[in-house]
Amino acid sequence: MDGKTSRMEAELFCLHCNKETPHTVYYAGNILKRIKCEECGSEIEIRREKLLENYALDFIERILTKPYRMTKELEGDLKKFILSLPIRIVTKPYRIVKEVEDILKKEE
């Protein structure tokens, strides 16, 4: 990360105003830090540790629902499922490692 801070104006839906309003979006380098509604002044701070926590919960949910999702694929198109399985088995560990590396790089 380069350490630069920047901001951007955007029209976003504000939960407090209950409508689309002008917001200022603040970044540290290329990482989102906070968002402020210019109409009511409410701010949302982005906490990286919470993002990682939520990612971990999502990842566990994906693991737990994988058998169900694979069964649905199997029922939907048996031929496509069987043909794609060898490639998926080989590439899945790489895709998981890449996903985790991307998350950790954003943390730095």
Side-chain angles (χ1 to χ4, degrees):
M1 188 170 72
D2 60 13
K4 286 192 318 186
T5 57
S6 60
R7 63 186 208 174
M8 178 183 102
E9 305 299 318
E11 283 285 320
L12 301 171
F13 186 84
C14 176
L15 295 173
H16 293 49
C17 298
N18 202 28
K19 63 181 179 179
E20 282 198 21
T21 59
H23 284 69
T24 304
V25 182
Y26 297 88
Y27 293 90
N30 61 354
I31 296 175
L32 179 62
K33 284 301 193 185
R34 66 186 170 102
I35 302 168
K36 180 181 178 183
C37 174
E38 294 305 322
E39 196 159 305
C40 72
S42 67
E43 282 189 45
I44 298 172
E45 186 176 339
I46 310 301
R47 294 193 187 105
R48 311 252 346 129
E49 6 1 288
K50 282 291 181 194
L51 289 175
L52 283 174
E53 256 179 56
N54 291 337
Y55 173 76
L57 292 173
D58 177 63
F59 188 75
I60 290 167
E61 178 70 18
R62 286 168 33 206
I63 289 170
L64 294 175
T65 61
K66 188 65 170 180
Y68 171 78
R69 290 182 287 127
M70 287 183 77
T71 301
K72 285 294 183 193
E73 280 185 58
L74 185 62
E75 291 170 351
D77 189 345
L78 178 61
K79 182 179 176 183
K80 181 179 175 187
F81 179 81
I82 291 172
L83 291 174
S84 71
L85 197 56
I87 293 170
R88 291 165 69 178
I89 290 171
V90 170
T91 63
K92 190 62 164 184
Y94 170 76
R95 287 182 284 143
I96 290 172
V97 168
K98 180 79 174 116
E99 197 172 318
V100 171
E101 281 178 347
D102 289 346
I103 294 290
L104 294 175
K105 280 181 188 173
K106 289 177 183 174
E107 271 302 296
E108 295 174 351

